[in-house]
Amino acid sequence: MEAVGLCANNKQKQNQNQMLPNKMRGEFTRNQRKDSEGFSEAPDLEFEYSDADKWTVELSELYSYTEGPEFLLNRKCFEEDFHTHMPDQKWTELDVVQHRAHAMRLLDGLDVIGRERRLKVARAILYMAQGTFGECSSELEVQHWMRYNVFLLLDVGAFTALVELLNMEIDAACSSAVRKPAISLADSTDLRVLLNIMYQMVETIQREEPTDTPEWRTIRETFKSELGSPLYNHEPVSVMLFGMVTKFCSGHAPHFPMKKVLLLLWKSILFTLGGFEQLQCCKVSKRVALGLPPLQEDSIRVVRSMRAASPPASASDLIEQQQRRARREHKGLIKQDNLDAFNEKDPYKADDAREDEEENDDNDNSLEAEPFPMERDEVMPPPIPHPPSERVCFPKGLPWAPKVREKDIENFLESSRSKFIGYTLGSDTDTVVGLPRPIHESIRTLKQHKYVSIAEVQIAKEEEYQKTPLSGGEEELELCATELLYQGILPSLPQYMIALLKILLAAAPTSKAKTDSINILADVLPEEMPTTVLQSMKLGVDVNRHKEIIVKAISAILLLLLKHFKLNHVYQFEYMAQHLVFANCIPLILKFFNQNIMSYITAKNSISALDFPHSVIHELPELTAESLEAGDNNQFCWRNLFSCINLLRILNKLTKWKHSRTMMLVVFKSAPILKRALKVKQAMMQLYVLKLLKVQTKYLGRQWRKSNMKTMSAIYQKVRHRLNDDWAYGNDLDARPWDFQAEECALRANIERFNSRRYDKNQSNPEFLPVDNCLQSVLGQRIDLPEDFQMNYDLWLEREVFSKPISWEELLQ
């Protein structure tokens, strides 16, 4: 049927083409050709980047489609208990006092010893958190009761009870399902129910609504501070969840529902530390506190206002366009005599013909020569003749204000002094004696755009503490949520990073199934495998969706931690970043992007009819193989585009200002992989791809730069300029061989000094400990000598004391 439809469409297009006038037909075919070359075939993706997707989407992603029957089971458990105590009544008809009394009664039921009874009570509480959907007639009504019930549960102390219960389940679970050869959904029932309730609570409470009462707002702020502090089980909840991740990866608990753990971990970090908007506000206030000038622009707004650019040409397109150009030149020689004769008769028509030829040339030109939309519209507008009185409108400037580091100014002055005077003055950036006037102007321009980051101030302060450990005084530590989380994960941070990357590798679409890889499908596979084609297709969609959600959660966790640690203290960020690099995060992300990224972003691995809360309110339509294959009507998959942008941002964070890591990008041949990612017409994703290409252009050689001028042009337009950065030519010192190992070792030494000074109070430097100067107390101390020394004490006396002459005069003096 599809083939017949396509043929019919093609015939219709041919007929339309024949009916058009000659010139219009030329334009029509040119536009078709233009589409086939990739200028306008991919529309701009209407994607707005934020901390997370819509509330209902985030809730629906918690549940796999295999868990569908459990919604009715939860309802049954609640209604059995509810009607025992309140017969012939509905939850939605009770008053606040009765609601509270029943919630307290359910919480008491969690303390029973019997596992079956406890699970029934937990399911009843989960049904409450899901909005008591059995008594609702619309999704909006479910959302209203969900918020009400969740705030009620939090107010009666449900979250504390759930954390204690989860800890108990973790301890008990580590020995129960390990011996089973095949692990399915049934092995993690208790854990899944508890994690579902906790996730529903965190996700619902963190979303602020204008209709929230002042009491709810107070509850939210209290919960936020409790969640990030070591109130539950003497550690932040995030640290406990990190522990679950490492237990799962080490093989001690292969049945842990890892998707739910990672989603709860992500939302806990997002709620307690804050999202990207809060980060920007914290950055502004921190700069004010350190006495630094305000930020030149709001990076979030700048990125949101950017437009996507056309993708670069592929190799096959370039070959085809060269062949077309050769054919045009051949035709041009034949037509030349006819055109000359035609010019003599009618010069105006000749001009039209010439314009038409030029238009043809423009449209057939290679993609490398085709300017980006921004180049055409803003940077190089066509010259328009203006009358003398009319004011000329200049094109809009570049999106980012240029920046210069103090180090850049020092390097510029050093090279200028060496060139013109023959000596240098180290880090002196004020003395300009003997330098020519243009150099003075350059220095003034550089200082005008000088940018001092918070990280530079933190590094300078840390150096002061290391130089003067006694006179420098004690550092005042602000015990914010970020600091408490860092202190909590510091002892096992390397293991946590390795575990997250292991799961990310297992969930990546490019990964091949291996026998030794971890099984991340424990909480999606049913007990009985599908028997029909439709069931197999549904499970296939569910598995792919499951993996996509895991990638989304891990990418968001890593990016949030990197950004918050960098703002809190740069060495916290460097510690985490270095362990990610040691765990092969850079090649892993490149491997993730080494796929058809457009098909990943437009993947339709979701069945909207089965999404919560839609599935519990509406009648389920009859699912067919065709409807599953068609998927939804969305232009792209929000979570996959979100994951791709997050991974690119992580890669940027790891490689920025690190020559050794930039060279890793070059060694792993990342340029063609990243260039393919430019085909996604979304401005934010393109920006981070272009940033990664910019840092390595100087190492890719002249030929690469020559054949990728369109990409170079896009970098110039979209990426921030660093004055003095010779990124496009590769003539500076950074392009020379570098001692990469020494760079990483020096950074590691600085990080270890920072961690031991700030957090390792037991291992303080013995040189700075107070000294006992009293002779009697020193001699009176009992010192335990090793056994071999005691056995050979006579020999030691003979050799070290009696046989050596002592000059008493010198000793006394």
Side-chain angles (χ1 to χ4, degrees), residues 30 328 351-365:
R30 277 201 301 274
R328 275 203 312 277
D351 286 345
D352 287 345
R354 228 178 267 117
E355 279 173 22
D356 209 27
E357 281 294 317
E358 284 166 12
E359 208 170 311
N360 267 325
D361 281 2
D362 286 342
N363 284 326
D364 287 344
N365 226 348

Side-chain angles (χ1 to χ4, degrees), residues 137-195:
S137 56
S138 68
E139 288 183 40
L140 282 174
E141 203 178 339
V142 174
Q143 290 169 29
H144 164 77
W145 282 104
M146 206 185 291
R147 288 188 74 77
Y148 174 84
N149 292 345
V150 160
F151 275 100
L152 173 69
L153 286 169
L154 185 65
D155 198 28
V156 297
F159 200 83
T160 312
L162 290 167
V163 173
E164 288 172 6
L165 207 53
L166 182 64
N167 262 313
M168 191 178 78
E169 290 290 348
I170 292 166
D171 295 338
C174 285
S175 57
S176 61
V178 179
R179 299 178 193 90
K180 288 187 70 174
I183 294 165
S184 69
L185 206 64
D187 297 303
S188 58
T189 307
D190 297 41
L191 285 166
R192 280 189 297 106
V193 171
L194 294 175
L195 289 165

Side-chain angles (χ1 to χ4, degrees), residues 164-441:
E164 288 172 6
L165 207 53
L166 182 64
N167 262 313
M168 191 178 78
E169 290 290 348
I170 292 166
D171 295 338
C174 285
S175 57
S176 61
V178 179
R179 299 178 193 90
K180 288 187 70 174
I183 294 165
S184 69
L185 206 64
D187 297 303
S188 58
T189 307
D190 297 41
L191 285 166
R192 280 189 297 106
V193 171
L194 294 175
L195 289 165
N196 284 344
I197 305 169
M198 290 169 76
Y199 180 86
Q200 287 268 169
M201 291 180 76
V202 172
E203 177 59 24
T204 304
I205 291 162
Q206 72 153 337
R207 300 266 176 169
E208 292 187 38
E209 294 287 340
T211 54
D212 289 351
T213 61
E215 184 189 356
W216 281 10
R217 286 181 182 151
T218 309
I219 290 171
R220 177 185 294 112
E221 289 306 312
T222 310
F223 181 52
K224 183 178 175 179
S225 60
E226 286 176 355
L227 199 63
S229 64
L231 191 68
Y232 302 108
N233 201 34
H234 310 297
E235 61 185 8
V237 170
S238 304
V239 178
M240 180 183 73
L241 295 169
F242 267 121
M244 288 184 77
V245 175
T246 49
K247 282 188 178 77
F248 171 79
C249 286
S250 63
H252 295 309
H255 62 298
F256 276 1
M258 209 25 60
K259 182 187 82 172
K260 296 179 192 297
V261 173
L262 291 167
L263 283 172
L264 181 56
L265 176 58
W266 168 33
K267 292 305 165 70
S268 301
I269 292 169
L270 180 62
F271 185 35
T272 52
L273 306 192
F276 300 115
E277 297 279 356
Q278 290 96 318
L279 261 167
Q280 191 72 10
C281 296
C282 291
K283 194 173 181 181
V284 169
S285 57
K286 198 150 194 172
R287 288 185 71 83
V288 170
L290 292 171
L292 296 173
L295 293 165
Q296 291 155 311
E297 70 268 298
D298 184 342
S299 56
I300 297 170
R301 286 181 187 170
V302 173
V303 172
R304 279 179 184 164
S305 65
M306 277 185 169
R307 285 165 48 193
S310 307
S314 63
S316 58
D317 286 337
L318 292 172
I319 293 163
E320 192 183 328
Q321 286 147 13
Q322 284 171 355
Q323 289 170 349
R324 262 204 303 272
R325 197 176 294 120
R327 283 200 298 272
R328 275 203 312 277
E329 286 169 4
H330 180 65
K331 285 179 187 173
L333 290 169
I334 297 166
K335 286 184 179 177
Q336 189 60 48
D337 295 334
N338 297 338
L339 272 173
D340 288 343
F342 189 62
N343 287 355
E344 287 170 14
K345 292 176 189 174
D346 194 342
Y348 297 107
K349 282 186 180 177
D351 286 345
D352 287 345
R354 228 178 267 117
E355 279 173 22
D356 209 27
E357 281 294 317
E358 284 166 12
E359 208 170 311
N360 267 325
D361 281 2
D362 286 342
N363 284 326
D364 287 344
N365 226 348
S366 78
L367 273 165
E368 292 298 340
E370 166 72 9
F372 272 59
M374 283 186 67
E375 280 176 330
R376 194 190 304 120
D377 298 341
E378 295 172 10
V379 179
M380 293 282 287
I384 302 166
H386 293 278
S389 59
E390 190 180 337
R391 188 177 173 184
V392 179
C393 293
F394 288 98
K396 188 184 167 189
L398 296 166
W400 304 99
K403 283 182 180 178
V404 184
R405 294 181 300 168
E406 182 75 25
K407 187 184 171 185
D408 298 330
I409 301 173
E410 287 173 14
N411 290 344
F412 175 73
L413 269 168
E414 198 171 323
S415 61
S416 301
R417 285 170 184 147
S418 302
K419 184 177 176 183
F420 292 106
I421 306 170
Y423 66 88
T424 59
L425 295 173
S427 59
D428 182 0
T429 56
D430 298 321
T431 308
V432 290
V433 177
L435 296 173
R437 193 162 191 78
I439 300 294
H440 291 210
E441 293 291 327

Side-chain angles (χ1 to χ4, degrees), residues 671-689:
I673 296 169
L674 293 168
K675 205 179 153 195
R676 279 201 300 275
L678 286 174
K679 288 182 181 175
V680 180
K681 290 194 75 178
Q682 205 282 323
M684 190 172 188
M685 182 161 167
Q686 286 184 345
L687 171 69
Y688 290 108
V689 171

Side-chain angles (χ1 to χ4, degrees), residues 8 50 147 197 207 213 230 275 293 354 390 442 499 515-516 573 634 646 701 714:
S50 61
R147 288 188 74 77
I197 305 169
R207 300 266 176 169
T213 61
R354 228 178 267 117
E390 190 180 337
S442 301
T515 50
D516 58 340
F573 158 80
N634 293 334
N646 286 346

Side-chain angles (χ1 to χ4, degrees), residues 468-749:
T468 56
L470 295 175
S471 58
E474 280 290 317
E475 183 183 11
E476 288 183 18
L477 261 183
E478 185 192 350
L479 290 175
C480 58
T482 312
E483 184 63 38
L484 290 168
L485 179 60
Y486 183 77
Q487 289 180 14
I489 67 173
L490 176 62
S492 307
L493 189 137
Q495 291 92 304
Y496 296 154
M497 294 306 109
I498 290 167
L500 286 176
L501 293 182
K502 266 187 180 179
I503 299 169
L504 182 61
L505 177 63
T510 49
S511 295
K512 302 285 184 289
K514 294 179 184 174
T515 50
D516 58 340
S517 63
I518 50 176
N519 175 24
I520 54 167
L521 305 177
D523 53 333
V524 71
L525 296 176
E527 279 187 279
E528 295 176 6
M529 293 310 282
T531 51
T532 65
V533 174
L534 186 63
Q535 287 176 343
S536 299
M537 285 182 73
K538 184 183 159 188
L539 183 60
V541 169
D542 206 2
V543 165
N544 289 336
R545 173 179 178 263
H546 182 81
K547 288 181 175 181
E548 288 171 3
I549 294 165
I550 286 175
V551 172
K552 171 187 174 181
I554 292 176
S555 66
I557 289 165
L558 292 175
L559 181 62
L560 274 173
L561 288 177
L562 285 170
K563 286 188 77 68
H564 277 285
F565 286 159
K566 188 169 186 182
L567 187 60
N568 197 50
H569 200 289
V570 67
Y571 281 137
Q572 294 177 349
F573 158 80
E574 294 291 5
Y575 185 55
M576 178 178 165
Q578 197 163 59
H579 280 292
L580 283 173
V581 173
F582 292 162
N584 283 334
C585 184
I586 292 174
L588 171 54
I589 294 175
L590 292 175
K591 183 182 179 182
F592 181 90
F593 279 97
N594 194 17
Q595 59 169 312
N596 185 342
I597 209 73
M598 272 305 292
S599 66
Y600 183 70
I601 279 165
T602 54
K604 296 181 188 292
N605 290 314
S606 57
I607 308 165
S608 53
L610 299 180
D611 284 340
F612 174 83
H614 183 279
S615 61
V616 295
I617 292 297
H618 304 283
E619 285 289 323
L620 285 181
E622 189 181 349
L623 294 174
T624 60
E626 288 76 22
S627 65
L628 288 182
E629 204 169 337
D632 53 23
N633 297 321
N634 293 334
Q635 186 191 19
F636 58 90
C637 177
W638 196 96
R639 66 173 164 264
N640 289 358
L641 190 45
F642 176 76
S643 303
C644 288
I645 291 172
N646 286 346
L647 291 171
L648 287 167
R649 293 182 76 179
I650 292 163
L651 206 49
N652 268 290
K653 291 252 169 245
L654 297 182
T655 53
K656 193 176 181 182
W657 305 121
K658 306 282 189 304
H659 297 291
S660 55
R661 298 174 194 175
T662 304
M663 287 310 293
M664 284 177 80
L665 292 178
V666 180
V667 168
F668 290 124
K669 296 183 171 60
S670 66
I673 296 169
L674 293 168
K675 205 179 153 195
R676 279 201 300 275
L678 286 174
K679 288 182 181 175
V680 180
K681 290 194 75 178
Q682 205 282 323
M684 190 172 188
M685 182 161 167
Q686 286 184 345
L687 171 69
Y688 290 108
V689 171
L690 292 169
K691 278 186 171 188
L692 288 165
L693 285 169
K694 180 185 174 181
V695 295
Q696 52 178 318
T697 44
K698 64 178 79 167
Y699 307 109
L700 295 173
R702 185 177 294 175
Q703 187 54 46
W704 187 92
R705 295 194 289 271
K706 190 178 172 184
S707 57
N708 289 277
M709 285 310 294
K710 186 174 183 197
T711 307
M712 300 287 282
S713 169
I715 291 170
Y716 178 84
Q717 289 168 3
K718 292 181 178 292
V719 183
R720 189 192 298 279
H721 286 271
R722 295 272 175 177
L723 303 182
N724 274 18
D725 181 11
D726 204 4
W727 65 271
Y729 303 100
N731 297 326
D732 65 352
L733 294 169
D734 294 343
R736 296 179 190 175
W738 202 273
D739 189 354
F740 301 131
Q741 202 171 356
E743 187 186 14
E744 288 290 349
C745 287
L747 177 61
R748 191 172 188 176

Side-chain angles (χ1 to χ4, degrees), residues 83-139:
H83 290 142
T84 306
H85 298 97
M86 296 179 181
D88 305 324
Q89 284 189 295
K90 286 187 175 181
W91 174 262
T92 51
E93 294 170 356
L94 301 182
D95 59 21
V96 179
V97 177
Q98 289 171 309
H99 283 154
R100 194 178 177 86
H102 188 69
M104 297 281 279
R105 196 180 299 118
L106 284 175
L107 278 186
D108 291 340
L110 286 178
D111 291 336
V112 297
I113 297 169
R115 179 184 169 276
E116 288 297 324
R117 170 68 188 145
R118 200 167 59 235
L119 181 60
K120 277 190 173 182
V121 173
R123 283 197 181 281
I125 294 171
L126 176 56
Y127 176 71
M128 277 181 68
Q130 288 168 345
T132 52
F133 52 80
E135 299 173 21
C136 301
S137 56
S138 68
E139 288 183 40

